[in-house]
Amino acid sequence: MSTAILTGQPVPGSSLEGDLRSLGFDVRVATDAGDTETLLAVVPADQRVALVDARFVGHPHALRLGLTDPRFPAAALPGAVTAQPAARQALTRALAREHSAVTDQASATTTAVVGQTGTGSLAERITAALDSDGVPVHRPELGTLVATVPADPQARNEARQAVAAVDDEAVRLRSAVKARDGFFTTHCISPYSRYIARWCARRGLTPNQVTTASLLTALIAAGSAATGTRGGFVAAGILLILSFVLDCTDGQLARYSLQYSTLGAWLDATFDRAKEYAYYAGLALGAARGGDDVWALALGAMVLQTCRHVVDFAFNEANHDATANTSPTAALSGRLDSVGWTVWARRMIVLPIGERWAMIAVLTALTTPRITFVVLLIGCAFAAAYTTAGRVLRSLTRRATRTDRAARALKDLTDSGPLAELLVRVMPGNSRVTAHFSAAVGAVLVTLSAWLWGAGWQVVLCAAVYVLLSAAAVGHPLKGALDWLVPPFFRAAEYGTVLILAAKAGGNGVLPAAFGLVAAVAYHHYDTVYRIRGDAGAPPSWLVRSIGGHEGRTLLVAVLATLLTAALFKLALTALAVCVALLVLGESIRFWVAAHKGGAPAVHDEGEPA
């Protein structure tokens, strides 16, 4: 239970107390600063507290945005300020100083009435004090919503008329939709999914429950596709769209009811990948029932999609806090975004999750799994080329200074293991190599050798050279203009080598085993990204070392493919996939659950469509 302390004399006929109670606040009334300080002291330290001027007039949703958002330790809007446990001490200090100042003023002249004398209301003076103390105070964008403290009856009447003129619920529904989304999501899903989100909120459902329902629906869709029948494919397409509707609903529910959480953000992000890749597996199983082996295409689609995401993550991490971060290419992109049709065209070209899932669903229902994967690979390859080329151009024309934090994030994203760490320590470091060039040469060398020769000692030798080049790439801080390409090159090298060697092994079941291994490793890489985005740092070094790092796994797979028969290679890949999955899933679940229970800051990603 949160506590709201109304300061000043209550206004007859005001709905403020009822509005605060509807938002989950236990409302108490204070007549002066001393009374406020006393009431604040008895509120448990692990609870949120809000100070609200009794004369406040505004929409309930304005109060909700300003006083209940869990992402910010301190927040304020006109006439109200709130603090979560992390900012309670700062609020207490500011109130103590205010009480002292009022007491001194009263002893010198006459008693001041809290909230009705001095500069602004008590809440506004406390907010100013928090600002002066360097405490970050979030101020939500209210748009057409009203939030004010009228100074006289006429102003109060005008404020009430302004409140009546704006539909609070309509604004709340509009704000539940992500500000930047793809064409399909914006025009085909969000117009009705927001109402599903409201329905869920009114029945007490949480975003995490909706996220889980979306996962279960996608898994049922994958199971339907795995039947290999036309009816199963049609059902799979319909269920995949339904899963996406629920996927949109969980985020809209979080925004509608401000139910943000660290655990929820992680579940939403990881379940999206699990749903899509499980569906790929279901399509491959369904095709196999019909006598068509498309496991290589399924694995290729997963590899390509994961590498696309790593390009996005690495570029954003390298540039989000860079100084002098401008370029002519970025300026042109900004101008294009000001023209309506180009905005939607560019969002559709990158094949975001809405367009991608709609395409997969329609192709599944109307065609075959092979056609579905071929079209998906062509679309994703074009999107990857478009986005990567644009980011390379921006990087080459940008005069930016990368920060130590960005270099550290890129190093964590490389997922370098014990072999690379050892070589970095023993290799000479007199001259700086070009990191992205070393990574690119190593990636091309190991994947091309696998393509040309298949399993053999030539590939093992090339994999060993890849290990050396990988160490050279991370031997210096990744602050170059194109060093954000290093993690994507490593992902392409590892995933591509596993894909090619499994495809050339020719044994029954080798490709599904490789699919499982890449899925487990990809989960580890996504988990690394989400930890970095949440300012939680990379996974522990013991985990990265225990699963070998990208270079160790690549070398190991090359050796296994060379030494073992197809049947034994399948067993080895399966065992490796199980070991990696158990380690990374166990540590990931432990970390995110502990972070959630430990009161980690709530997060919500409004970034680019996945």
Side-chain angles (χ1 to χ4, degrees):
M1 173 69 75
S2 302
T3 298
I5 302 175
L6 289 181
T7 62
Q9 296 298 324
V11 177
S14 173
S15 63
L16 178 59
E17 186 171 342
D19 291 339
L20 291 171
R21 292 189 190 281
S22 69
L23 297 178
F25 285 97
D26 177 23
V27 180
R28 304 175 187 181
V29 179
T31 57
D32 56 30
D35 195 13
T36 304
E37 191 174 15
T38 301
L39 290 175
L40 179 62
V42 300
V43 177
D46 60 347
Q47 289 187 10
R48 175 194 289 272
V49 67
L51 306 183
V52 185
D53 192 296
R55 300 169 298 165
F56 176 89
V57 174
H59 288 96
H61 192 51
L63 288 170
R64 181 181 291 105
L65 291 173
L67 302 182
T68 68
D69 197 323
R71 296 173 294 177
F72 308 103
L77 68 162
V81 62
T82 184
Q84 294 200 73
R88 280 285 300 275
Q89 289 187 352
L91 179 67
T92 300
R93 288 194 300 269
L95 184 58
R97 291 200 304 272
E98 174 65 20
H99 182 206
S100 177
V102 171
T103 302
D104 292 344
Q105 180 183 359
S107 62
T109 54
T110 58
T111 301
V113 180
V114 175
Q116 301 186 24
T117 62
T119 305
S121 68
L122 173 62
E124 290 169 349
R125 295 198 297 275
I126 295 299
T127 301
L130 292 175
D131 286 331
S132 64
D133 288 344
V135 178
V137 180
H138 171 68
R139 292 172 172 83
E141 291 290 338
L142 298 179
T144 59
L145 296 175
V146 176
T148 185
V149 179
D152 54 61
Q154 181 179 351
R156 184 173 191 81
N157 184 55
E158 293 173 353
R160 285 176 169 172
Q161 292 177 357
V163 169
V166 176
D167 188 340
D168 178 89
E169 181 61 20
V171 172
R172 187 181 178 189
L173 273 174
R174 285 197 303 270
S175 63
V177 178
K178 187 183 291 187
R180 187 181 186 276
D181 226 327
F183 180 88
F184 179 76
T185 304
T186 299
H187 296 286
C188 300
I189 303 297
S190 293
Y192 59 87
S193 62
R194 69 185 74 181
Y195 295 100
I196 300 176
R198 181 173 67 180
W199 183 90
C200 293
R202 290 178 175 177
R203 282 151 185 82
L205 297 177
T206 68
N208 290 351
Q209 291 171 333
V210 178
T211 300
T212 303
S214 175
L215 173 66
L216 294 175
T217 304
L219 293 179
I220 296 172
S224 299
T227 62
T229 64
R230 176 52 51 194
F233 288 147
V234 172
I238 295 173
L239 288 169
L240 187 64
I241 292 296
L242 177 57
S243 175
F244 182 66
V245 171
L246 293 174
D247 183 58
C248 295
T249 300
D250 64 2
Q252 291 165 357
L253 174 58
R255 287 181 286 273
Y256 182 84
S257 55
L258 299 187
Q259 295 183 73
Y260 303 119
S261 71
T262 301
L263 182 63
W266 171 68
L267 288 176
D268 183 51
T270 54
F271 281 8
D272 278 351
R273 305 287 77 79
K275 287 181 287 190
E276 187 166 5
Y277 299 156
Y279 192 83
Y280 292 173
L283 277 178
L285 288 170
R289 287 180 178 273
D292 190 10
D293 186 355
V294 297
W295 275 106
L297 295 177
L299 180 51
M302 182 167 64
V303 169
L304 181 55
Q305 188 58 33
T306 304
C307 289
R308 280 188 62 199
H309 284 146
V310 175
V311 168
D312 296 341
F313 298 146
F315 178 82
N316 291 334
E317 286 300 323
N319 292 283
H320 87 281
D321 61 349
T323 58
N325 197 3
T326 59
S327 75
T329 309
L332 174 61
S333 177
R335 288 195 295 273
L336 289 175
D337 276 342
S338 66
V339 182
W341 69 269
T342 64
V343 175
W344 295 119
R346 295 174 72 214
R347 292 186 189 180
M348 293 174 69
I349 286 174
V350 300
L351 207 62
I353 188 170
E355 276 74 1
R356 193 166 67 249
W357 283 26
M359 181 181 72
I360 293 171
V362 171
L363 290 174
T364 299
L366 300 180
T367 65
T368 65
R370 179 172 291 275
I371 293 176
T372 300
F373 281 124
V374 169
V375 174
L376 177 63
L377 284 166
I378 293 173
C380 286
F382 179 80
Y386 171 79
T387 55
T388 304
R391 285 169 175 153
V392 169
L393 285 175
R394 289 190 186 191
S395 300
L396 292 175
T397 59
R398 179 174 280 158
R399 298 294 181 265
T401 302
R402 272 74 182 184
T403 63
D404 291 337
R405 181 205 174 278
R408 184 171 60 253
L410 289 179
K411 185 177 185 302
D412 291 336
L413 286 173
T414 63
D415 189 35
S416 298
L419 292 179
E421 289 180 354
L422 176 62
L423 289 172
V424 166
R425 287 196 292 268
V426 301
M427 289 174 62
N430 296 328
S431 60
R432 188 191 191 285
V433 298
T434 304
H436 67 275
F437 179 76
S438 297
V441 171
V444 170
L445 181 65
V446 69
T447 53
L448 186 60
S449 65
W451 179 269
L452 293 176
W453 297 305
W457 291 110
Q458 307 98 315
V459 178
V460 174
L461 177 61
C462 290
V465 175
Y466 170 71
V467 173
L468 290 171
L469 291 172
S470 300
V474 297
H476 296 268
L478 299 177
K479 292 187 176 182
L482 295 177
D483 283 356
W484 56 270
L485 286 169
V486 172
F489 282 141
F490 288 165
R491 297 297 81 77
E494 179 183 359
Y495 301 161
T497 301
V498 174
L499 167 60
I500 295 170
L501 291 178
K504 286 185 171 290
N508 185 30
V510 177
L511 277 167
F515 188 96
L517 174 59
V518 172
V521 175
Y523 175 86
H524 166 61
H525 292 146
Y526 280 114
D527 186 56
T528 301
V529 167
Y530 302 137
R531 293 192 194 214
I532 293 172
R533 280 186 166 182
D535 292 326
S541 57
W542 70 261
L543 177 65
V544 178
R545 293 191 184 103
S546 65
I547 60 176
H550 71 94
E551 78 289 355
R553 290 188 299 269
T554 303
L555 180 59
L556 176 60
V557 170
V559 171
L560 292 174
T562 301
L563 294 178
L564 303 178
T565 64
L568 291 177
F569 186 42
K570 178 186 70 173
L571 293 177
L573 289 179
T574 302
L576 185 58
V578 171
C579 290
V580 171
L582 290 176
L583 284 170
V584 299
L585 277 173
E587 163 56 22
S588 177
I589 293 171
R590 182 210 62 79
F591 170 80
W592 289 104
V593 171
H596 179 70
K597 291 182 177 179
V603 296
H604 187 71
D605 183 15
E606 287 284 2
E608 296 184 10

